[in-house]
PDB file of all heavy atoms in Angstrom:
ATOM      1  N   PRO A 204     125.461 104.899 127.287  1.00 87.00           N
ATOM      2  CA  PRO A 204     126.700 105.566 126.944  1.00 87.00           C
ATOM      3  C   PRO A 204     127.337 104.954 125.713  1.00 87.00           C
ATOM      4  O   PRO A 204     127.362 103.739 125.502  1.00 87.00           O
ATOM      5  CB  PRO A 204     127.554 105.294 128.169  1.00 87.00           C
ATOM      6  CG  PRO A 204     126.640 104.871 129.302  1.00 87.00           C
ATOM      7  CD  PRO A 204     125.401 104.307 128.602  1.00 87.00           C
ATOM      8  N   ASP A 205     127.774 105.815 124.775  1.00 86.00           N
ATOM      9  CA  ASP A 205     128.416 105.328 123.523  1.00 86.00           C
ATOM     10  C   ASP A 205     127.457 104.427 122.696  1.00 86.00           C
ATOM     11  O   ASP A 205     128.078 103.616 121.938  1.00 86.00           O
ATOM     12  CB  ASP A 205     129.774 104.697 123.814  1.00 86.00           C
ATOM     13  CG  ASP A 205     130.753 105.623 124.492  1.00 86.00           C
ATOM     14  OD1 ASP A 205     130.760 106.820 124.190  1.00 86.00           O
ATOM     15  OD2 ASP A 205     131.459 105.146 125.439  1.00 86.00           O
ATOM     16  N   ASN A 206     126.209 104.485 122.916  1.00 84.00           N
ATOM     17  CA  ASN A 206     125.258 103.633 122.162  1.00 84.00           C
ATOM     18  C   ASN A 206     125.628 102.174 122.375  1.00 84.00           C
ATOM     19  O   ASN A 206     125.446 101.375 121.482  1.00 84.00           O
ATOM     20  CB  ASN A 206     125.138 104.005 120.728  1.00 84.00           C
ATOM     21  CG  ASN A 206     124.529 105.327 120.500  1.00 84.00           C
ATOM     22  OD1 ASN A 206     123.638 105.742 121.264  1.00 84.00           O
ATOM     23  ND2 ASN A 206     124.946 106.049 119.551  1.00 84.00           N
ATOM     24  N   ARG A 207     126.080 101.857 123.572  1.00 87.00           N
ATOM     25  CA  ARG A 207     126.400 100.446 123.866  1.00 87.00           C
ATOM     26  C   ARG A 207     125.170  99.602 123.775  1.00 87.00           C
ATOM     27  O   ARG A 207     124.098  99.983 124.260  1.00 87.00           O
ATOM     28  CB  ARG A 207     127.111 100.263 125.161  1.00 87.00           C
ATOM     29  CG  ARG A 207     128.507 100.889 125.148  1.00 87.00           C
ATOM     30  CD  ARG A 207     129.245 100.697 126.390  1.00 87.00           C
ATOM     31  NE  ARG A 207     129.493  99.282 126.745  1.00 87.00           N
ATOM     32  CZ  ARG A 207     130.461  98.548 126.292  1.00 87.00           C
ATOM     33  NH1 ARG A 207     131.357  99.068 125.395  1.00 87.00           N
ATOM     34  NH2 ARG A 207     130.584  97.294 126.626  1.00 87.00           N
ATOM     35  N   ASN A 208     125.254  98.451 123.174  1.00 87.00           N
ATOM     36  CA  ASN A 208     124.190  97.485 123.086  1.00 87.00           C
ATOM     37  C   ASN A 208     124.331  96.515 124.289  1.00 87.00           C
ATOM     38  O   ASN A 208     125.288  95.742 124.389  1.00 87.00           O
ATOM     39  CB  ASN A 208     124.291  96.675 121.802  1.00 87.00           C
ATOM     40  CG  ASN A 208     123.204  95.702 121.554  1.00 87.00           C
ATOM     41  OD1 ASN A 208     122.874  94.883 122.437  1.00 87.00           O
ATOM     42  ND2 ASN A 208     122.631  95.705 120.346  1.00 87.00           N
ATOM     43  N   VAL A 209     123.305  96.542 125.151  1.00 86.00           N
ATOM     44  CA  VAL A 209     123.427  95.811 126.436  1.00 86.00           C
ATOM     45  C   VAL A 209     123.471  94.251 126.159  1.00 86.00           C
ATOM     46  O   VAL A 209     123.908  93.524 127.047  1.00 86.00           O
ATOM     47  CB  VAL A 209     122.338  96.122 127.444  1.00 86.00           C
ATOM     48  CG1 VAL A 209     122.408  97.617 127.815  1.00 86.00           C
ATOM     49  CG2 VAL A 209     120.914  95.837 126.896  1.00 86.00           C
ATOM     50  N   LEU A 210     123.041  93.825 124.994  1.00 84.00           N
ATOM     51  CA  LEU A 210     123.082  92.366 124.697  1.00 84.00           C
ATOM     52  C   LEU A 210     124.350  91.963 123.987  1.00 84.00           C
ATOM     53  O   LEU A 210     124.702  90.763 124.001  1.00 84.00           O
ATOM     54  CB  LEU A 210     121.862  91.950 123.902  1.00 84.00           C
ATOM     55  CG  LEU A 210     120.471  92.117 124.601  1.00 84.00           C
ATOM     56  CD1 LEU A 210     119.352  91.673 123.693  1.00 84.00           C
ATOM     57  CD2 LEU A 210     120.446  91.206 125.839  1.00 84.00           C
ATOM     58  N   GLN A 211     125.027  92.880 123.394  1.00 89.00           N
ATOM     59  CA  GLN A 211     126.198  92.560 122.640  1.00 89.00           C
ATOM     60  C   GLN A 211     127.562  93.103 123.210  1.00 89.00           C
ATOM     61  O   GLN A 211     128.559  92.448 123.017  1.00 89.00           O
ATOM     62  CB  GLN A 211     126.059  93.197 121.196  1.00 89.00           C
ATOM     63  CG  GLN A 211     124.914  92.608 120.378  1.00 89.00           C
ATOM     64  CD  GLN A 211     125.232  91.265 119.775  1.00 89.00           C
ATOM     65  OE1 GLN A 211     125.503  90.302 120.539  1.00 89.00           O
ATOM     66  NE2 GLN A 211     125.247  91.185 118.458  1.00 89.00           N
ATOM     67  N   ASP A 212     127.491  94.266 123.789  1.00 87.00           N
ATOM     68  CA  ASP A 212     128.734  94.984 124.119  1.00 87.00           C
ATOM     69  C   ASP A 212     129.152  94.831 125.580  1.00 87.00           C
ATOM     70  O   ASP A 212     130.212  95.311 125.958  1.00 87.00           O
ATOM     71  CB  ASP A 212     128.561  96.454 123.807  1.00 87.00           C
ATOM     72  CG  ASP A 212     128.312  96.678 122.331  1.00 87.00           C
ATOM     73  OD1 ASP A 212     128.722  95.885 121.518  1.00 87.00           O
ATOM     74  OD2 ASP A 212     127.633  97.680 121.995  1.00 87.00           O
ATOM     75  N   GLU A 213     128.319  94.213 126.442  1.00 89.00           N
ATOM     76  CA  GLU A 213     128.723  94.106 127.810  1.00 89.00           C
ATOM     77  C   GLU A 213     129.360  92.724 128.093  1.00 89.00           C
ATOM     78  O   GLU A 213     129.072  91.789 127.373  1.00 89.00           O
ATOM     79  CB  GLU A 213     127.417  94.209 128.703  1.00 89.00           C
ATOM     80  CG  GLU A 213     126.726  95.537 128.522  1.00 89.00           C
ATOM     81  CD  GLU A 213     127.588  96.779 128.811  1.00 89.00           C
ATOM     82  OE1 GLU A 213     128.436  96.688 129.737  1.00 89.00           O
ATOM     83  OE2 GLU A 213     127.413  97.806 128.194  1.00 89.00           O
ATOM     84  N   PRO A 214     130.262  92.686 129.100  1.00 91.00           N
ATOM     85  CA  PRO A 214     130.981  91.422 129.384  1.00 91.00           C
ATOM     86  C   PRO A 214     130.043  90.277 129.782  1.00 91.00           C
ATOM     87  O   PRO A 214     130.301  89.138 129.443  1.00 91.00           O
ATOM     88  CB  PRO A 214     132.013  91.765 130.437  1.00 91.00           C
ATOM     89  CG  PRO A 214     131.636  93.088 130.973  1.00 91.00           C
ATOM     90  CD  PRO A 214     130.725  93.772 129.907  1.00 91.00           C
ATOM     91  N   VAL A 215     128.973  90.580 130.549  1.00 91.00           N
ATOM     92  CA  VAL A 215     128.023  89.558 130.946  1.00 91.00           C
ATOM     93  C   VAL A 215     126.992  89.443 129.830  1.00 91.00           C
ATOM     94  O   VAL A 215     126.367  90.487 129.464  1.00 91.00           O
ATOM     95  CB  VAL A 215     127.307  89.953 132.288  1.00 91.00           C
ATOM     96  CG1 VAL A 215     126.251  88.936 132.594  1.00 91.00           C
ATOM     97  CG2 VAL A 215     128.398  89.990 133.391  1.00 91.00           C
ATOM     98  N   LYS A 216     126.874  88.296 129.221  1.00 91.00           N
ATOM     99  CA  LYS A 216     125.960  88.110 128.089  1.00 91.00           C
ATOM    100  C   LYS A 216     124.642  87.722 128.575  1.00 91.00           C
ATOM    101  O   LYS A 216     124.318  86.574 128.995  1.00 91.00           O
ATOM    102  CB  LYS A 216     126.532  87.031 127.150  1.00 91.00           C
ATOM    103  CG  LYS A 216     127.872  87.441 126.565  1.00 91.00           C
ATOM    104  CD  LYS A 216     127.866  88.746 125.790  1.00 91.00           C
ATOM    105  CE  LYS A 216     129.172  89.104 125.204  1.00 91.00           C
ATOM    106  NZ  LYS A 216     129.291  90.486 124.851  1.00 91.00           N
ATOM    107  N   LEU A 217     123.671  88.751 128.532  1.00 89.00           N
ATOM    108  CA  LEU A 217     122.316  88.488 128.980  1.00 89.00           C
ATOM    109  C   LEU A 217     121.549  87.746 127.885  1.00 89.00           C
ATOM    110  O   LEU A 217     121.864  87.891 126.669  1.00 89.00           O
ATOM    111  CB  LEU A 217     121.627  89.848 129.244  1.00 89.00           C
ATOM    112  CG  LEU A 217     122.243  90.710 130.316  1.00 89.00           C
ATOM    113  CD1 LEU A 217     121.569  92.030 130.404  1.00 89.00           C
ATOM    114  CD2 LEU A 217     122.221  89.997 131.664  1.00 89.00           C
ATOM    115  N   ALA A 218     120.502  87.028 128.266  1.00 91.00           N
ATOM    116  CA  ALA A 218     119.642  86.351 127.290  1.00 91.00           C
ATOM    117  C   ALA A 218     118.825  87.390 126.513  1.00 91.00           C
ATOM    118  O   ALA A 218     118.498  88.445 127.101  1.00 91.00           O
ATOM    119  CB  ALA A 218     118.761  85.364 127.963  1.00 91.00           C
ATOM    120  N   GLY A 219     118.547  87.160 125.263  1.00 89.00           N
ATOM    121  CA  GLY A 219     117.680  88.074 124.542  1.00 89.00           C
ATOM    122  C   GLY A 219     118.024  88.014 123.071  1.00 89.00           C
ATOM    123  O   GLY A 219     118.967  87.344 122.665  1.00 89.00           O
ATOM    124  N   PHE A 220     117.266  88.725 122.236  1.00 89.00           N
ATOM    125  CA  PHE A 220     117.492  88.795 120.804  1.00 89.00           C
ATOM    126  C   PHE A 220     118.627  89.643 120.541  1.00 89.00           C
ATOM    127  O   PHE A 220     118.694  90.805 121.001  1.00 89.00           O
ATOM    128  CB  PHE A 220     116.240  89.297 120.071  1.00 89.00           C
ATOM    129  CG  PHE A 220     115.122  88.334 120.107  1.00 89.00           C
ATOM    130  CD1 PHE A 220     114.125  88.493 121.079  1.00 89.00           C
ATOM    131  CD2 PHE A 220     115.024  87.253 119.244  1.00 89.00           C
ATOM    132  CE1 PHE A 220     113.098  87.621 121.190  1.00 89.00           C
ATOM    133  CE2 PHE A 220     113.993  86.390 119.347  1.00 89.00           C
ATOM    134  CZ  PHE A 220     112.954  86.525 120.266  1.00 89.00           C
ATOM    135  N   THR A 221     119.700  89.223 119.827  1.00 92.00           N
ATOM    136  CA  THR A 221     120.833  90.068 119.561  1.00 92.00           C
ATOM    137  C   THR A 221     120.897  90.788 118.329  1.00 92.00           C
ATOM    138  O   THR A 221     121.617  91.753 118.161  1.00 92.00           O
ATOM    139  CB  THR A 221     122.119  89.143 119.668  1.00 92.00           C
ATOM    140  OG1 THR A 221     122.013  88.116 118.610  1.00 92.00           O
ATOM    141  CG2 THR A 221     122.277  88.463 121.016  1.00 92.00           C
ATOM    142  N   HIS A 222     120.072  90.367 117.292  1.00 94.00           N
ATOM    143  CA  HIS A 222     120.090  91.081 116.004  1.00 94.00           C
ATOM    144  C   HIS A 222     118.953  90.605 115.165  1.00 94.00           C
ATOM    145  O   HIS A 222     118.368  89.579 115.440  1.00 94.00           O
ATOM    146  CB  HIS A 222     121.434  90.864 115.246  1.00 94.00           C
ATOM    147  CG  HIS A 222     121.680  89.492 114.872  1.00 94.00           C
ATOM    148  ND1 HIS A 222     122.140  88.488 115.727  1.00 94.00           N
ATOM    149  CD2 HIS A 222     121.620  88.846 113.660  1.00 94.00           C
ATOM    150  CE1 HIS A 222     122.324  87.320 115.118  1.00 94.00           C
ATOM    151  NE2 HIS A 222     121.951  87.570 113.853  1.00 94.00           N
ATOM    152  N   ALA A 223     118.681  91.394 114.144  1.00 95.00           N
ATOM    153  CA  ALA A 223     117.739  90.965 113.108  1.00 95.00           C
ATOM    154  C   ALA A 223     118.494  90.719 111.810  1.00 95.00           C
ATOM    155  O   ALA A 223     119.470  91.413 111.558  1.00 95.00           O
ATOM    156  CB  ALA A 223     116.663  92.074 112.869  1.00 95.00           C
ATOM    157  N   ALA A 224     118.094  89.735 111.093  1.00 96.00           N
ATOM    158  CA  ALA A 224     118.831  89.344 109.826  1.00 96.00           C
ATOM    159  C   ALA A 224     117.856  89.433 108.674  1.00 96.00           C
ATOM    160  O   ALA A 224     116.734  88.861 108.769  1.00 96.00           O
ATOM    161  CB  ALA A 224     119.367  87.943 109.978  1.00 96.00           C
ATOM    162  N   PHE A 225     118.276  90.137 107.637  1.00 96.00           N
ATOM    163  CA  PHE A 225     117.435  90.309 106.456  1.00 96.00           C
ATOM    164  C   PHE A 225     118.132  89.804 105.216  1.00 96.00           C
ATOM    165  O   PHE A 225     119.362  89.822 105.129  1.00 96.00           O
ATOM    166  CB  PHE A 225     117.182  91.846 106.270  1.00 96.00           C
ATOM    167  CG  PHE A 225     116.481  92.540 107.432  1.00 96.00           C
ATOM    168  CD1 PHE A 225     117.285  93.143 108.385  1.00 96.00           C
ATOM    169  CD2 PHE A 225     115.169  92.340 107.635  1.00 96.00           C
ATOM    170  CE1 PHE A 225     116.705  93.747 109.525  1.00 96.00           C
ATOM    171  CE2 PHE A 225     114.576  92.973 108.754  1.00 96.00           C
ATOM    172  CZ  PHE A 225     115.294  93.644 109.684  1.00 96.00           C
ATOM    173  N   VAL A 226     117.391  89.369 104.247  1.00 96.00           N
ATOM    174  CA  VAL A 226     117.882  88.850 102.948  1.00 96.00           C
ATOM    175  C   VAL A 226     117.886  90.016 101.925  1.00 96.00           C
ATOM    176  O   VAL A 226     116.869  90.737 101.877  1.00 96.00           O
ATOM    177  CB  VAL A 226     117.046  87.721 102.440  1.00 96.00           C
ATOM    178  CG1 VAL A 226     117.542  87.244 101.035  1.00 96.00           C
ATOM    179  CG2 VAL A 226     117.135  86.505 103.410  1.00 96.00           C
ATOM    180  N   VAL A 227     118.935  90.110 101.267  1.00 96.00           N
ATOM    181  CA  VAL A 227     119.078  91.245 100.205  1.00 96.00           C
ATOM    182  C   VAL A 227     119.368  90.627  98.873  1.00 96.00           C
ATOM    183  O   VAL A 227     119.860  89.450  98.774  1.00 96.00           O
ATOM    184  CB  VAL A 227     120.143  92.315 100.515  1.00 96.00           C
ATOM    185  CG1 VAL A 227     119.858  93.014 101.860  1.00 96.00           C
ATOM    186  CG2 VAL A 227     121.551  91.642 100.596  1.00 96.00           C
ATOM    187  N   THR A 228     119.026  91.296  97.768  1.00 95.00           N
ATOM    188  CA  THR A 228     119.186  90.733  96.453  1.00 95.00           C
ATOM    189  C   THR A 228     120.637  91.012  95.955  1.00 95.00           C
ATOM    190  O   THR A 228     121.117  90.215  95.162  1.00 95.00           O
ATOM    191  CB  THR A 228     118.231  91.378  95.457  1.00 95.00           C
ATOM    192  OG1 THR A 228     118.327  92.782  95.542  1.00 95.00           O
ATOM    193  CG2 THR A 228     116.804  90.949  95.789  1.00 95.00           C
ATOM    194  N   ASP A 229     121.274  92.081  96.392  1.00 96.00           N
ATOM    195  CA  ASP A 229     122.598  92.442  95.853  1.00 96.00           C
ATOM    196  C   ASP A 229     123.470  93.062  96.934  1.00 96.00           C
ATOM    197  O   ASP A 229     123.295  94.248  97.226  1.00 96.00           O
ATOM    198  CB  ASP A 229     122.463  93.359  94.626  1.00 96.00           C
ATOM    199  CG  ASP A 229     123.759  93.548  93.869  1.00 96.00           C
ATOM    200  OD1 ASP A 229     124.836  93.802  94.473  1.00 96.00           O
ATOM    201  OD2 ASP A 229     123.737  93.472  92.638  1.00 96.00           O
ATOM    202  N   MET A 230     124.329  92.256  97.489  1.00 96.00           N
ATOM    203  CA  MET A 230     125.148  92.746  98.567  1.00 96.00           C
ATOM    204  C   MET A 230     126.104  93.909  98.145  1.00 96.00           C
ATOM    205  O   MET A 230     126.319  94.855  98.883  1.00 96.00           O
ATOM    206  CB  MET A 230     126.030  91.587  99.149  1.00 96.00           C
ATOM    207  CG  MET A 230     126.860  91.992 100.353  1.00 96.00           C
ATOM    208  SD  MET A 230     125.829  92.266 101.805  1.00 96.00           S
ATOM    209  CE  MET A 230     125.312  90.676 102.261  1.00 96.00           C
ATOM    210  N   ASP A 231     126.665  93.826  96.948  1.00 97.00           N
ATOM    211  CA  ASP A 231     127.547  94.923  96.488  1.00 97.00           C
ATOM    212  C   ASP A 231     126.831  96.225  96.354  1.00 97.00           C
ATOM    213  O   ASP A 231     127.385  97.281  96.748  1.00 97.00           O
ATOM    214  CB  ASP A 231     128.134  94.484  95.177  1.00 97.00           C
ATOM    215  CG  ASP A 231     129.172  93.321  95.255  1.00 97.00           C
ATOM    216  OD1 ASP A 231     129.799  93.211  96.315  1.00 97.00           O
ATOM    217  OD2 ASP A 231     129.263  92.541  94.337  1.00 97.00           O
ATOM    218  N   ASP A 232     125.585  96.213  95.876  1.00 96.00           N
ATOM    219  CA  ASP A 232     124.779  97.482  95.881  1.00 96.00           C
ATOM    220  C   ASP A 232     124.551  98.019  97.231  1.00 96.00           C
ATOM    221  O   ASP A 232     124.572  99.204  97.467  1.00 96.00           O
ATOM    222  CB  ASP A 232     123.467  97.237  95.113  1.00 96.00           C
ATOM    223  CG  ASP A 232     123.620  97.223  93.593  1.00 96.00           C
ATOM    224  OD1 ASP A 232     124.725  97.524  93.127  1.00 96.00           O
ATOM    225  OD2 ASP A 232     122.666  96.925  92.948  1.00 96.00           O
ATOM    226  N   LEU A 233     124.241  97.104  98.219  1.00 97.00           N
ATOM    227  CA  LEU A 233     123.986  97.516  99.539  1.00 97.00           C
ATOM    228  C   LEU A 233     125.257  98.087 100.190  1.00 97.00           C
ATOM    229  O   LEU A 233     125.189  99.150 100.796  1.00 97.00           O
ATOM    230  CB  LEU A 233     123.516  96.312 100.354  1.00 97.00           C
ATOM    231  CG  LEU A 233     123.209  96.623 101.872  1.00 97.00           C
ATOM    232  CD1 LEU A 233     122.036  97.573 101.990  1.00 97.00           C
ATOM    233  CD2 LEU A 233     122.968  95.360 102.617  1.00 97.00           C
ATOM    234  N   ILE A 234     126.373  97.481  99.988  1.00 97.00           N
ATOM    235  CA  ILE A 234     127.642  98.000 100.487  1.00 97.00           C
ATOM    236  C   ILE A 234     127.953  99.352  99.929  1.00 97.00           C
ATOM    237  O   ILE A 234     128.366 100.243 100.657  1.00 97.00           O
ATOM    238  CB  ILE A 234     128.787  96.988 100.199  1.00 97.00           C
ATOM    239  CG1 ILE A 234     128.597  95.677 101.104  1.00 97.00           C
ATOM    240  CG2 ILE A 234     130.146  97.615 100.487  1.00 97.00           C
ATOM    241  CD1 ILE A 234     129.544  94.530 100.700  1.00 97.00           C
ATOM    242  N   ALA A 235     127.717  99.509  98.611  1.00 97.00           N
ATOM    243  CA  ALA A 235     127.951 100.793  97.968  1.00 97.00           C
ATOM    244  C   ALA A 235     127.012 101.921  98.595  1.00 97.00           C
ATOM    245  O   ALA A 235     127.478 103.066  98.872  1.00 97.00           O
ATOM    246  CB  ALA A 235     127.738 100.722  96.503  1.00 97.00           C
ATOM    247  N   MET A 236     125.788 101.506  98.873  1.00 95.00           N
ATOM    248  CA  MET A 236     124.858 102.502  99.473  1.00 95.00           C
ATOM    249  C   MET A 236     125.348 102.869 100.892  1.00 95.00           C
ATOM    250  O   MET A 236     125.316 104.057 101.301  1.00 95.00           O
ATOM    251  CB  MET A 236     123.448 101.932  99.573  1.00 95.00           C
ATOM    252  CG  MET A 236     122.336 102.873 100.043  1.00 95.00           C
ATOM    253  SD  MET A 236     122.189 103.144 101.797  1.00 95.00           S
ATOM    254  CE  MET A 236     121.569 101.544 102.292  1.00 95.00           C
ATOM    255  N   PHE A 237     125.778 101.855 101.683  1.00 96.00           N
ATOM    256  CA  PHE A 237     126.357 102.131 103.005  1.00 96.00           C
ATOM    257  C   PHE A 237     127.490 103.104 102.895  1.00 96.00           C
ATOM    258  O   PHE A 237     127.609 104.069 103.715  1.00 96.00           O
ATOM    259  CB  PHE A 237     126.718 100.858 103.745  1.00 96.00           C
ATOM    260  CG  PHE A 237     125.599 100.049 104.196  1.00 96.00           C
ATOM    261  CD1 PHE A 237     125.798  98.703 104.477  1.00 96.00           C
ATOM    262  CD2 PHE A 237     124.319 100.524 104.325  1.00 96.00           C
ATOM    263  CE1 PHE A 237     124.759  97.866 104.863  1.00 96.00           C
ATOM    264  CE2 PHE A 237     123.242  99.698 104.761  1.00 96.00           C
ATOM    265  CZ  PHE A 237     123.487  98.397 105.061  1.00 96.00           C
ATOM    266  N   GLU A 238     128.429 102.820 102.006  1.00 96.00           N
ATOM    267  CA  GLU A 238     129.574 103.787 101.854  1.00 96.00           C
ATOM    268  C   GLU A 238     129.136 105.175 101.463  1.00 96.00           C
ATOM    269  O   GLU A 238     129.679 106.121 101.998  1.00 96.00           O
ATOM    270  CB  GLU A 238     130.565 103.132 100.812  1.00 96.00           C
ATOM    271  CG  GLU A 238     131.252 101.877 101.281  1.00 96.00           C
ATOM    272  CD  GLU A 238     132.037 101.159 100.249  1.00 96.00           C
ATOM    273  OE1 GLU A 238     131.986 101.499  99.062  1.00 96.00           O
ATOM    274  OE2 GLU A 238     132.764 100.152 100.637  1.00 96.00           O
ATOM    275  N   LYS A 239     128.259 105.283 100.521  1.00 95.00           N
ATOM    276  CA  LYS A 239     127.735 106.583 100.091  1.00 95.00           C
ATOM    277  C   LYS A 239     127.110 107.388 101.213  1.00 95.00           C
ATOM    278  O   LYS A 239     127.273 108.606 101.294  1.00 95.00           O
ATOM    279  CB  LYS A 239     126.720 106.376  98.936  1.00 95.00           C
ATOM    280  CG  LYS A 239     126.172 107.715  98.411  1.00 95.00           C
ATOM    281  CD  LYS A 239     125.120 107.401  97.316  1.00 95.00           C
ATOM    282  CE  LYS A 239     124.506 108.674  96.917  1.00 95.00           C
ATOM    283  NZ  LYS A 239     123.296 108.477  96.083  1.00 95.00           N
ATOM    284  N   ASN A 240     126.411 106.655 102.119  1.00 94.00           N
ATOM    285  CA  ASN A 240     125.672 107.280 103.224  1.00 94.00           C
ATOM    286  C   ASN A 240     126.432 107.291 104.541  1.00 94.00           C
ATOM    287  O   ASN A 240     125.862 107.534 105.579  1.00 94.00           O
ATOM    288  CB  ASN A 240     124.311 106.658 103.343  1.00 94.00           C
ATOM    289  CG  ASN A 240     123.437 106.988 102.162  1.00 94.00           C
ATOM    290  OD1 ASN A 240     123.058 108.096 101.929  1.00 94.00           O
ATOM    291  ND2 ASN A 240     123.076 105.961 101.419  1.00 94.00           N
ATOM    292  N   ALA A 241     127.736 106.878 104.506  1.00 95.00           N
ATOM    293  CA  ALA A 241     128.554 106.885 105.697  1.00 95.00           C
ATOM    294  C   ALA A 241     127.959 105.989 106.822  1.00 95.00           C
ATOM    295  O   ALA A 241     128.062 106.344 107.975  1.00 95.00           O
ATOM    296  CB  ALA A 241     128.868 108.283 106.194  1.00 95.00           C
ATOM    297  N   ILE A 242     127.410 104.889 106.402  1.00 96.00           N
ATOM    298  CA  ILE A 242     126.953 103.841 107.371  1.00 96.00           C
ATOM    299  C   ILE A 242     128.060 102.842 107.543  1.00 96.00           C
ATOM    300  O   ILE A 242     128.497 102.212 106.580  1.00 96.00           O
ATOM    301  CB  ILE A 242     125.632 103.173 106.903  1.00 96.00           C
ATOM    302  CG1 ILE A 242     124.496 104.256 106.849  1.00 96.00           C
ATOM    303  CG2 ILE A 242     125.255 102.049 107.829  1.00 96.00           C
ATOM    304  CD1 ILE A 242     123.196 103.725 106.221  1.00 96.00           C
ATOM    305  N   ASN A 243     128.588 102.736 108.717  1.00 96.00           N
ATOM    306  CA  ASN A 243     129.695 101.904 109.020  1.00 96.00           C
ATOM    307  C   ASN A 243     129.371 100.402 109.000  1.00 96.00           C
ATOM    308  O   ASN A 243     128.452 100.017 109.696  1.00 96.00           O
ATOM    309  CB  ASN A 243     130.311 102.262 110.375  1.00 96.00           C
ATOM    310  CG  ASN A 243     131.645 101.517 110.669  1.00 96.00           C
ATOM    311  OD1 ASN A 243     132.480 101.403 109.821  1.00 96.00           O
ATOM    312  ND2 ASN A 243     131.802 101.124 111.898  1.00 96.00           N
ATOM    313  N   ILE A 244     130.099  99.572 108.245  1.00 98.00           N
ATOM    314  CA  ILE A 244     129.928  98.134 108.286  1.00 98.00           C
ATOM    315  C   ILE A 244     130.797  97.639 109.421  1.00 98.00           C
ATOM    316  O   ILE A 244     131.957  97.790 109.445  1.00 98.00           O
ATOM    317  CB  ILE A 244     130.360  97.496 106.923  1.00 98.00           C
ATOM    318  CG1 ILE A 244     129.426  98.030 105.813  1.00 98.00           C
ATOM    319  CG2 ILE A 244     130.376  95.989 107.040  1.00 98.00           C
ATOM    320  CD1 ILE A 244     129.818  97.572 104.432  1.00 98.00           C
ATOM    321  N   THR A 245     130.113  96.999 110.372  1.00 96.00           N
ATOM    322  CA  THR A 245     130.799  96.575 111.637  1.00 96.00           C
ATOM    323  C   THR A 245     131.313  95.125 111.563  1.00 96.00           C
ATOM    324  O   THR A 245     132.062  94.731 112.432  1.00 96.00           O
ATOM    325  CB  THR A 245     129.912  96.764 112.853  1.00 96.00           C
ATOM    326  OG1 THR A 245     128.734  95.930 112.654  1.00 96.00           O
ATOM    327  CG2 THR A 245     129.559  98.226 113.037  1.00 96.00           C
ATOM    328  N   GLY A 246     130.892  94.368 110.525  1.00 96.00           N
ATOM    329  CA  GLY A 246     131.315  93.052 110.353  1.00 96.00           C
ATOM    330  C   GLY A 246     131.075  92.581 108.944  1.00 96.00           C
ATOM    331  O   GLY A 246     130.113  92.946 108.287  1.00 96.00           O
ATOM    332  N   GLY A 247     132.096  91.815 108.379  1.00 95.00           N
ATOM    333  CA  GLY A 247     131.962  91.299 107.029  1.00 95.00           C
ATOM    334  C   GLY A 247     132.491  92.259 105.979  1.00 95.00           C
ATOM    335  O   GLY A 247     133.081  93.266 106.296  1.00 95.00           O
TER     336      GLY A 247
END
């Protein structure tokens, strides 16, 4: 429901991988691409 992430969004924190982290060359370009494509930045 509501695309809830069972490892992140539930009150009981289950063990497991919570996210993948990638290195980018230009954060400002990435942010601009997200804004252009209506991809919501949820943190930072």
